[in-house]
């Protein structure tokens, strides 16, 4: 438990003050986020807001994890690979953000380049996990044997790659309002902290020797995002950029794969699923019904803005929804534990 608290505290402090220093440096060098011209009119005033704040989140997480190990911790390969996945996703996002600010346009890496970068991270993670750890290669909901359908090494790797790509893109789509993705990320990582710590307390039932290490990483992500959110809350003084959103998405997917809760992730991250589905539906309706639109604008948070909701109202209500989805996911996880007799 001490490692969790230390990791979260160190990460939060590093992120809190690191974001402040980053904000000062970016402002002095006039490095800001370009805003899409077809977005909500109220967002045009945000043009030039410093971006790449995700650097502070990732840095805080890494330092929090490393320093916590000095207090009775033991590094595990599974934990290190999850951390590498987070850093890798953040690195792809950082390159994308840097191209945006240098070129002074809202588009950084093209879609193909970004997907290739994420594929390298995802395939690398899947290979390392199956080659060097005892991760279960079953399709899992709340634990490795539920439902426990064996995918085999190749099947699990393909599933892992799909989940990482899908989750990173979902979080990226959600990152469109001040603090929206960050707040939802805190809630989701808090859930995985509880899940991993529960597995640590019941190692004989979940067969996850790296559970405590994974809980530490998740707690460090909570601290890192909270420290950043101090500066990112509406009205945002800095954006996380793709650096933060891709790191968060990579982390959530990697933790779900490492804790054998793959199918529980869409419930815990219900807000991210909603945002992604809204974009898919918008595209399908637009092409199938002669240019008609299902929403005023997608992702759906922009629809609510154009419907007249103040930005802060949209953010808080979607945070509430995210919390409810996470509560349902944790409830399902705990209900399974009770049914299986893992509460002793």
């Amino acid at each position: 438990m001490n490692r969790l608290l230390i990791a979260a505290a160190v990460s939060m402090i590093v992120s809190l003050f690191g974001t402040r220093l980053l904000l000062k440096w970016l402002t002095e060098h006039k490095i800001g986020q370009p805003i899409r011209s077809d977005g909500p009119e109220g967002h045009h005033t945000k043009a030039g807001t410093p971006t790449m704040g995700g650097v502070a989140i990732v840095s805080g997480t890494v330092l929090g994890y490393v320093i916590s190990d000095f207090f009775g911790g033991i590094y595990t390969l599974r934990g290190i690979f999850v951390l590498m996945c987070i850093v890798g996703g953040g690195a792809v996002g950082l390159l994308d953000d840097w191209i945006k600010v240098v070129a002074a346009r809202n588009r950084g890496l093209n879609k193909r380049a970004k997907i290739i970068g994420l594929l390298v991270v995802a395939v690398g993670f899947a290979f390392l996990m199956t080659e060097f750890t005892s991760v279960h290669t079953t399709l899992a909901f709340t634990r490795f044997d539920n439902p426990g359908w064996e995918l085999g090494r190749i099947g699990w790797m393909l599933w892992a790659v799909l989940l990482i790509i899908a989750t990173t893109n979902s979080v990226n789509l959600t990152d469109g309002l001040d603090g929206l993705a960050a707040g939802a990320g805190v809630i989701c990582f808090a859930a995985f902290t509880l899940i991993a710590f529960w597995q640590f307390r019941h190692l004989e039932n979940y067969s996850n020797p790296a559970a405590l290490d994974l809980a530490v990483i998740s707690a460090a992500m909570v601290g890192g995002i909270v420290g950043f959110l101090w500066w990112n809350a509406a009205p945002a003084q800095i954006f996380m950029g793709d650096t933060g959103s891709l790191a968060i998405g990579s982390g959530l997917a990697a933790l779900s794969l490492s804790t054998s809760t793959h199918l529980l992730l869409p419930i815990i991250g219900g807000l991210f699923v909603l945002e992604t589905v809204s974009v898919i539906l918008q595209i399908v309706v637009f092409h199938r019904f002669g240019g008609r639109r299902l929403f005023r604008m997608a992702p759906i948070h922009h629809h609510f803005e154009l419907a007249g909701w103040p930005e802060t109202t949209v953010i808080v209500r979607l945070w509430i929804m995210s919390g409810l989805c996470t509560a349902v996911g944790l409830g399902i996880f705990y209900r399974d534990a009770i049914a299986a007799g893992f509460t002793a």
Side-chain angles (χ1 to χ4, degrees), residues 237-274:
Q237 298 179 57
I238 187 172
F239 299 145
M240 69 166 67
D242 283 15
T243 309
S245 62
L246 298 187
I248 290 172
S250 298
L252 290 174
L255 283 166
S256 71
L257 289 162
S258 302
T259 57
S260 295
T261 53
H262 331 154
L263 299 180
L264 195 63
L265 177 60
I267 298 175
I268 291 175
L271 174 61
F272 303 128
V273 174
L274 172 66

Side-chain angles (χ1 to χ4, degrees), residues 4-339:
L4 268 68
L5 297 176
I6 291 170
V10 170
S11 181
M12 183 181 68
I13 292 171
V14 170
S15 180
L16 179 65
F17 292 99
T19 302
R20 179 67 186 91
L21 294 175
L22 183 62
L23 176 59
K24 181 180 179 181
W25 184 84
L26 291 170
T27 302
E28 290 175 349
H29 289 78
K30 298 180 180 180
I31 298 176
Q33 172 73 49
I35 301 296
R36 53 187 285 195
S37 59
D38 59 341
E41 187 174 344
H43 286 215
H44 295 168
T45 58
K46 299 182 181 183
T49 301
T51 187
M52 296 186 288
V55 170
I57 297 175
V58 176
S59 300
T61 299
V62 172
L63 286 173
Y65 174 72
V66 171
I67 292 175
S68 72
D69 192 68
F70 298 154
F71 299 86
I74 300 176
Y75 292 131
T76 65
L77 285 177
R78 198 180 301 196
I80 292 172
F81 295 155
V82 169
L83 193 64
M84 288 172 60
C85 189
I86 293 172
V87 173
V92 174
L94 179 61
L95 179 59
D96 184 66
D97 288 334
W98 185 252
I99 292 174
K100 288 178 184 177
V101 298
V102 169
R105 57 191 175 90
N106 192 50
R107 293 184 179 181
L109 291 171
N110 60 45
K111 292 182 180 179
R112 177 177 296 181
K114 185 182 289 188
I115 288 296
I116 290 175
L118 290 174
L119 278 174
V120 171
V121 174
V123 172
F125 171 78
F127 173 79
L128 291 172
M129 287 289 286
T130 54
E131 181 70 18
F132 298 106
T133 78
S134 58
V135 66
H136 294 281
T137 55
T138 55
L139 187 65
F141 184 41
T142 54
R143 47 194 161 87
F144 72 93
D145 55 353
N146 178 24
W149 299 335
E150 181 59 52
L151 298 176
R153 183 183 182 187
I154 300 301
W156 190 89
M157 287 180 64
L158 291 173
W159 169 243
V161 170
L162 176 63
L163 196 62
I164 291 172
I165 296 296
T167 308
T168 50
N169 279 281
S170 293
V171 177
N172 192 233
L173 287 172
T174 306
D175 184 31
L177 298 180
D178 297 350
L180 177 58
V186 168
I187 296 169
C188 292
F189 280 112
F192 277 106
T193 303
L194 294 174
I195 288 172
F197 189 72
W198 178 273
Q199 292 184 352
F200 164 69
R201 295 297 299 272
H202 300 83
L203 290 178
E204 68 282 2
N205 303 120
Y206 291 95
S207 185
N208 185 357
L212 180 59
D213 215 27
L214 297 175
V216 170
I217 292 173
S218 194
M221 281 296 287
V222 170
I225 300 173
V226 168
F228 169 76
L229 192 56
W230 179 269
W231 307 101
N232 182 236
Q237 298 179 57
I238 187 172
F239 299 145
M240 69 166 67
D242 283 15
T243 309
S245 62
L246 298 187
I248 290 172
S250 298
L252 290 174
L255 283 166
S256 71
L257 289 162
S258 302
T259 57
S260 295
T261 53
H262 331 154
L263 299 180
L264 195 63
L265 177 60
I267 298 175
I268 291 175
L271 174 61
F272 303 128
V273 174
L274 172 66
E275 296 277 0
T276 304
V277 170
S278 72
V279 172
I280 294 173
L281 289 176
Q282 184 84 324
I283 294 172
V284 170
V285 171
F286 184 83
H287 288 290
R288 292 293 298 273
F289 296 95
R292 300 184 66 179
R293 300 177 186 274
L294 180 62
F295 305 108
R296 289 180 171 89
M297 182 178 289
I300 199 169
H301 55 255
H302 290 321
H303 169 82
F304 294 130
E305 278 191 289
L306 295 178
W309 292 16
E311 181 176 355
T312 52
T313 299
V314 178
I315 294 167
V316 172
R317 287 179 178 173
L318 291 181
W319 278 353
I320 292 172
M321 178 189 166
S322 179
L324 291 173
C325 290
T326 300
V328 171
L330 285 175
I332 293 172
F333 179 83
Y334 186 63
R335 178 66 182 82
D336 174 72
I338 293 176

